[in-house]
Amino acid sequence: MGGCMLTRTAGGTHDHRERRMSPTRRELVRATRGRIVDAAGRLTRERGPNGFSMDVLAKEAGVARATVYEHFRSKRAVLDELASSMARSVAIEEPRATTADPLVALRDMLGDVCRHWAEHEERMRGLRTLTAITGGESPGEGVDDQQLRRLVEGLAAANQMRAHWSVDEAVDALGALTSYDTYERLRRGPRTPEQVEAVLAKLVVSIVSPAAVSPNNSGAAAPAAAPSGNGRSCAHRTLRGRRSPPRMESVR
């Protein structure tokens, strides 16, 4: 980037005059940086993080070697930026609220989380490898704590949570259950993502009150039916939904 004064930092290089650039120039700088990171991602998938040099990276990105160094002071800086980019791409976004019933929202969240991790398994493995090599911090995984807290507080307010659970305990438990670590461990069964969801639902039922309510067809809350002969409560059936196998039993 001829003539640009660049400030180098541990996380890469940043143009300290970027705010004074014209919009066109600023977009060009960002696009070039993004192209280098994208090229690093392709090379990492094909050869591994240690399988390419900065010269090879420059060729893959279609830029001069000097241009790569204008943006990144070292290969480590490139890998750090790549890890940050990958972490952002696998972050679980908070979905729009589609139901006022926290029990149904909890069931839907389990399904959403399992589908999300199923779609990003390869990327998460690559991200783990990168952070192990660079020594960077492991990315934040799982559902955001604030989202979980709102959900748990909704369960408590609706008397849908067992009395011996505190809000903080339930938030921490759900955070662990919806993390990629837990998903990865349960997949080793081997289990399909749908089977992982069913196992998570079994565990989550230990938090939900047996007297929990579920919505009826009119949208109003109806009392839970008495447990049937196989021990399944209304809360259990709500958590199971339509995606989980029929063999899931309530934890008493």
Side-chain angles (χ1 to χ4, degrees):
M1 299 296 177
C4 279
M5 297 295 294
L6 297 173
T7 300
R8 300 178 186 274
T9 67
T13 58
H14 301 280
D15 190 337
H16 70 276
R17 298 188 307 177
E18 184 174 312
R19 292 182 181 179
R20 290 182 288 176
M21 288 181 177
S22 69
T24 301
R25 177 65 171 168
R26 185 163 52 246
E27 287 303 313
L28 178 61
V29 169
R30 291 176 179 175
T32 300
R33 186 179 180 87
R35 205 160 77 202
I36 294 169
V37 174
D38 288 344
R42 290 193 300 272
L43 291 170
T44 297
R45 288 191 298 273
E46 294 169 2
R47 308 184 183 189
N50 295 322
F52 61 94
S53 64
M54 293 290 265
D55 286 337
V56 172
L57 175 59
K59 183 177 180 179
E60 178 71 17
V63 299
R65 183 174 186 271
T67 300
V68 175
Y69 278 103
E70 284 176 353
H71 286 272
F72 301 98
R73 67 180 182 184
S74 65
K75 184 179 175 182
R76 162 69 184 273
V78 176
L79 294 180
D80 282 340
E81 180 73 10
L82 177 60
S84 296
S85 175
M86 292 175 67
R88 290 190 297 271
S89 73
V90 299
I92 297 177
E93 297 181 0
E94 182 173 356
R96 293 182 180 179
T98 57
T99 176
D101 189 295
L103 196 62
V104 176
L106 177 57
R107 179 204 66 192
D108 291 345
M109 182 189 72
L110 294 180
D112 291 342
V113 166
C114 286
R115 285 190 294 275
H116 177 86
W117 292 137
E119 292 171 2
H120 294 91
E121 284 182 276
E122 182 178 354
R123 188 171 287 262
M124 283 300 299
R125 286 193 292 269
L127 182 54
R128 291 277 183 80
T129 300
L130 275 178
T131 54
I133 290 174
T134 63
E137 294 183 3
S138 297
E141 300 173 3
V143 180
D144 179 73
D145 279 353
Q146 292 303 314
Q147 179 186 349
L148 291 176
R149 183 167 294 275
R150 287 191 293 272
L151 179 56
V152 170
E153 289 175 345
L155 288 169
N159 295 319
Q160 294 179 334
M161 193 166 74
R162 292 177 188 260
H164 62 271
W165 282 89
S166 70
V167 169
D168 287 343
E169 289 171 341
V171 169
D172 289 342
L174 288 176
L177 289 174
T178 57
S179 69
Y180 182 76
D181 285 341
T182 299
Y183 173 85
E184 183 182 42
R185 178 66 182 86
L186 293 175
R187 280 281 276 148
R188 295 176 193 163
R191 298 180 181 91
T192 66
E194 291 76 18
Q195 289 171 328
V196 171
E197 181 185 348
V199 173
L200 292 178
K202 290 180 182 181
L203 296 170
V204 166
V205 166
S206 68
I207 300 174
V208 174
S209 169
V213 297
S214 63
N216 60 21
N217 292 335
S218 64
S228 62
N230 62 8
R232 290 173 180 167
S233 67
C234 181
H236 173 272
R237 291 194 300 273
T238 301
L239 278 172
R240 186 183 67 194
R242 291 174 294 181
R243 292 187 294 268
S244 301
R247 293 183 296 173
M248 190 172 66
E249 298 295 335
S250 175
V251 176
R252 294 293 182 185

